[in-house]
Amino acid sequence: MDVNDLTSRAAKYDEGLARDIADYVRGRRYGLVYEASKPEFVRLWNKPVVRGDLVNVLPPRGEQEDTRRDDNPFDIAYRLVSEDDGIASLRDIKSGEQVEAPVEDLVAIARFDQPIYCGLEETGCVESGGDKPYHVVINGENYHALQTLTYAYAGKVDCIYIDPPYNTGAKDWKYNNNYVSSDDTYRHSKWLTFMEDRLKVAKKLLNPKDSVLICTIDEKEYLRLGLLLEQLFPSDRIQMVNIIINKNGVSRDNEFKRAEEYAFCVMIGSATPAEMDTATYSPFDDGKDTKPQKVRWEWLLRGGSNSLRTDRPNLFYPIYIDENKRTIEAIGQVLKLDEAIEDAPVISGLRALWPIRTDGTEATWRMQPSSLQKKIDKGLVRIGAYDKKNDRYSIVYLADVQEKRIAKGDISICGKRDDGSLVVEYANQKKSIPTTVWGGAAFSAGEYGSRLITSIFNDKRFSFPKSFYATELTIAPFVLNKPNALILDFFAGSGTTAHSTMLLNKLDGGHRRCICVTNNEVSADEAKAMTKRGLRTGDPEWEERGIARYVTIPRVTAAITGRTPEGEPIKGDYKFTDEFPMAEGFEENAVFFDLTYLEPSVVSADLAFDEIAPILWLRGGCRGPVLHRKPGYVVGETYAVLFDYGRVRQFIDIVHDDEKISHVFIVTDVKSRYRGMCAEFPDRDVAQLYESYLRSFEINVEE
């Protein structure tokens, strides 16, 4: 029985006793007790400073900011009174002293315990997944990003996977603008405060009926993290898994070699790990590849080296399809090198598909027309995904090795699709719920973390990335049976979680989407070197070396395109649950945003819709384009926004006619109009702008 239950029972018999118990408890902490240490101010690097803002004054360019002295500049706040010709007039909020400083040396700040309103600004995208939903990368402070996401996804996230800073004493994380060192007396309290603030908001995002929070950690903080999770999730099941990441161990001074790390799994509601292929989770496997969960269909379009039309001219020919039936109707003749595509025959009612990449390069198919026809006759070829942006279809087939497995009985034929292609699955897979000790080749952080990053970037631009396969296998037990799962990682680092989600989709045809949040900090050494050169946060050269722009976004892009940032095919193959070239990429879409900061008065005046528009798009399911303002109203694939109530009848008719629209937003201050819209669409998610948006941030602070 907890104290709250005791107080409730006491109130039934003696209200005075209940009040005494409540008063006694109010001033005391139970369970995990530590010295909470919240920073007084938070810097808002992306916010333009305006009159009335609280600000810090940065040191002159070329000088390192000393945040460890008694008069820490991070804690000295000024109010911006006025600005004239690039010089700001400031007032010290504690002493009232008036000072002046160049506007370019100011950075906006806000009290940590006050609502901070955020928006999103799109900075780019990569699209190869047709009409599939988008993965999202948000560049910004993760605490503010989590608050922003609560407006879009409160109670809707299926899986949160995080790999937070381990608090080893190295320069791996900052608190109140300082790196926390191993000799900091309060380093454990600072880490717990840092984690608790974020986990409290993250809890609001998780589906209370069926979801999971997975948090990896090492021995430095696992005991405290376990207690913190028990305190934050008292009614949920929590289990810790041991993961062998280096069987030989990593040496530490005067200590045992460390070979493992841990993953806490908080299983909420009905969440439970699914049965998995037993070989996948064998703690003592010998490195051999395990069976895939789903039978792989190969892309007919050849990738990698030796794949151009000029390399193999006998593999360049048209495939004619019926777009309505999604069937392959005919195979054309090989086109000679001196012949153009326009020279090929046109078949009425059919569309000709050619082995041409998205950049227009003429490539080749993987087999000759006669071989392809034999596979079609056997039901081993079908039309794959449609790429809406590039208006193209993929063709996929079962390779010879899969045919042999069908003949041997390793792969079972379950039926046929309408287009005549086979429905197949692996036969007699042994499955069970994983144990609490995981290991083997797939979990090697060196081989499939550091070396994988090197193969993508051709350099070592990120330290200690997680094994790509370890992340995939950690989230898999909780999302295998959820092909449309929403996965969140707010310590995204190099983007491993998004990359792993794409692989899971590839293996079983799922439409899972991942939202990654990371800041754009540069390493301590780089920051020191660039500061000496007169650079600072916000300068283009500085920002381009930050983790979001230099690592996370390029990695997500490379995973989809199969190309390095320099445009070369990525070397190597994906392994273990399947094996295929990394250069093939994934049929996925991703969009990238910067977190921005907004004035509530500007939002209320309906002057910041474009910054809020991406958040509405997130709430609508990340499909189609982000809607921007037009006269009257806008209607997208899954959501619609009404700006002018004078157009309400036409708006209602359009929304009623489109069942795919699941979210409706109405810009109004009149409650009766909002209630009327709710009554009009009882089966849709209806929200009032901008009251619901502003209130979402205020609630996060109040709690």
Side-chain angles (χ1 to χ4, degrees), residues 403-421:
E403 276 196 76
K404 293 178 181 177
R405 291 177 179 175
I406 292 174
K408 289 171 58 179
D410 294 337
I411 294 177
S412 300
I413 298 174
C414 307
K416 283 190 176 183
R417 299 179 179 83
D418 292 339
D419 63 0
S421 64

Side-chain angles (χ1 to χ4, degrees), residues 10 64 75 122 231-232 318 383 424 439 513 517 530 556 674:
Q64 194 78 29
D75 296 328
E122 184 175 340
Q231 190 163 290
L232 294 176
I383 298 174
V424 294
R513 52 199 165 100
V517 180
M530 286 195 285
V556 170
Y674 165 63

Side-chain angles (χ1 to χ4, degrees), residues 421-435:
S421 64
L422 300 179
V423 178
V424 294
E425 65 178 24
Y426 279 93
N428 303 319
Q429 292 191 83
K430 294 182 179 179
K431 296 183 179 181
S432 69
I433 293 178
T435 67

Side-chain angles (χ1 to χ4, degrees), residues 455-456 458 558 561-571 583:
S455 69
I456 292 174
N458 294 319
T561 63
R563 303 273 167 167
T564 68
E566 291 74 32
E568 298 296 324
I570 300 174
K571 297 178 181 178

Side-chain angles (χ1 to χ4, degrees), residues 275-381:
E275 290 189 338
M276 305 286 293
D277 177 357
T278 54
T280 302
Y281 280 91
S282 169
F284 305 112
D285 82 44
D286 58 5
K288 294 180 180 179
D289 290 358
T290 58
K291 291 181 180 179
Q293 296 297 313
K294 296 291 183 181
V295 179
R296 170 161 171 75
W297 291 71
E298 306 281 349
W299 282 8
L300 188 61
L301 178 64
R302 184 182 294 275
S305 59
N306 198 32
S307 61
L308 300 180
R309 179 184 180 185
T310 51
D311 296 326
R312 300 187 177 190
N314 62 329
L315 296 179
F316 191 82
Y317 55 88
I319 299 173
Y320 296 94
I321 69 168
D322 185 320
E323 291 186 89
N324 295 323
K325 298 179 180 178
R326 290 184 66 85
T327 55
I328 298 172
E329 298 294 332
I331 299 175
Q333 297 296 315
V334 171
L335 219 60
K336 297 179 181 178
L337 276 175
D338 59 354
E339 293 180 309
I341 289 177
E342 292 75 16
D343 298 330
V346 175
I347 301 179
S348 177
L350 301 181
R351 175 173 175 173
L353 302 185
W354 294 89
I356 298 177
R357 297 175 182 158
T358 54
D359 62 3
T361 303
E362 292 184 344
T364 61
W365 300 122
R366 289 184 178 272
M367 64 187 75
Q368 296 179 356
S370 58
S371 300
L372 179 60
Q373 187 60 59
K374 289 179 181 178
K375 284 191 176 290
I376 292 174
D377 295 340
K378 296 177 183 178
L380 305 177
V381 184

Side-chain angles (χ1 to χ4, degrees), residues 257-275:
K257 291 182 178 180
R258 185 173 73 94
E260 88 290 3
E261 61 185 21
Y262 315 103
F264 280 100
C265 299
V266 181
M267 291 167 277
I268 298 169
S270 62
T272 185
E275 290 189 338

